[in-house]
């Protein structure tokens, strides 16, 4: 069971991916963490975020385990990740590790921006998770507040819109739904309802009924 989940920032794709992975008892890779960890490495070394050669070298050296999620999930790191993620060499450096993860014999769930389009176009189940920018900003503000960050809703909404524009507007693997992805709009859904809807999509794709 290989499931590819894509969508914009704070669409709920991470929560869905984790729930689906637990449900099907397969490993989950949050690929955003790879870009966040790359950005953190670039910042720690004092390089510029736009320095493609250095960022790609840091990306190549990443291990897929032991991320300092507390730090990586900050607002600052989301922004920085979106900048390094637009660099083609960085994306190239991270492709193989993601594909290896996706090729695990028992299956896997991966979530990101280009999983269905670039990393695993062969995945039998592709879900494009979306929600209105205002709903996503509300969720992100709650999450950041829960982690003790000071939040200003207008600034979070601004961030979300900026990140959408950068992630969808870049030329290297821009955020978009694969042609055969099913779109799941979670604007009006709580976590349970979104999970139930995702499960229906997976079941339909995995065992299509003909006729
Ligand atoms: O999903 P996230 O918010 O943790 O992702 C952080 C940034 O990383 C996001 O703004 C764009 C980038 N990203 C990407 O370009 N491709 C992915 N597969 C995952 C994340």
């Amino acid at each position: 069971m290989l499931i590819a989940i894509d969508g914009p920032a704070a669409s709920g794709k991470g929560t869905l991916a984790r729930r689906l992975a637990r449900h099907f008892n397969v490993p989950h890779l949050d690929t955003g963490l790879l870009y966040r960890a790359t950005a953190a490495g670039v910042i720690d070394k004092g390089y510029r975020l736009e320095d493609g050669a250095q960022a790609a070298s840091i990306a190549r050296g990443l291990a897929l385990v032991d991320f300092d999620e507390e730090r990586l999930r900050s607002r600052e790191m989301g922004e920085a990740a979106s900048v390094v993620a637009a660099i083609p060499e960085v994306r190239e450096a991270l492709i193989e590790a993601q594909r290896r993860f996706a090729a695990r014999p028992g299956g896997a769930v991966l979530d990101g921006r280009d999983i269905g389009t670039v990393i695993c176009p062969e995945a039998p189940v592709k879900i494009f998770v979306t929600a209105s920018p205002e709903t996503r900003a509300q969720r992100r503000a709650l999450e950041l507040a829960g982690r003790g960050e000071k939040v200003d809703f207008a600034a979070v909404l601004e961030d979300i819109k900026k990140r959408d524009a950068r992630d969808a507007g870049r030329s290297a693997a821009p955020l978009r739904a694969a042609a055969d992805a099913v779109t799941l709009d979670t604007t009006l859904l709580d976590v349970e309802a979104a999970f139930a809807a995702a499960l229906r999509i997976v079941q339909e794709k995995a065992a299509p009924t003909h006729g």
Side-chain angles (χ1 to χ4, degrees), residues 112-201:
R113 303 290 188 290
D114 63 341
I115 308 303
T117 51
V118 174
I119 304 298
C120 329
E122 77 288 1
V125 182
K126 302 188 185 96
I127 306 178
F128 191 80
V129 185
T130 186
S132 72
E134 289 72 18
T135 300
R136 290 188 282 126
Q138 259 158 17
R139 291 177 187 158
R140 182 49 55 89
L142 272 176
E143 181 200 325
L144 292 172
R147 294 166 5 91
E149 276 198 54
K150 223 174 110 226
V151 281
D152 164 7
F153 178 76
V156 175
L157 179 59
E158 201 48 45
D159 267 10
I160 294 259
K161 289 184 174 168
K162 205 161 83 190
R163 210 124 78 77
D164 283 358
R166 200 190 283 121
D167 294 346
R170 69 185 177 215
S171 49
L175 166 70
R176 66 179 171 80
D180 56 345
V182 178
T183 296
L184 174 57
D185 188 332
T186 66
T187 304
L188 301 174
L189 304 180
D190 63 17
V191 173
E192 287 308 318
F195 176 61
L199 210 48
R200 276 197 299 275
I201 294 171

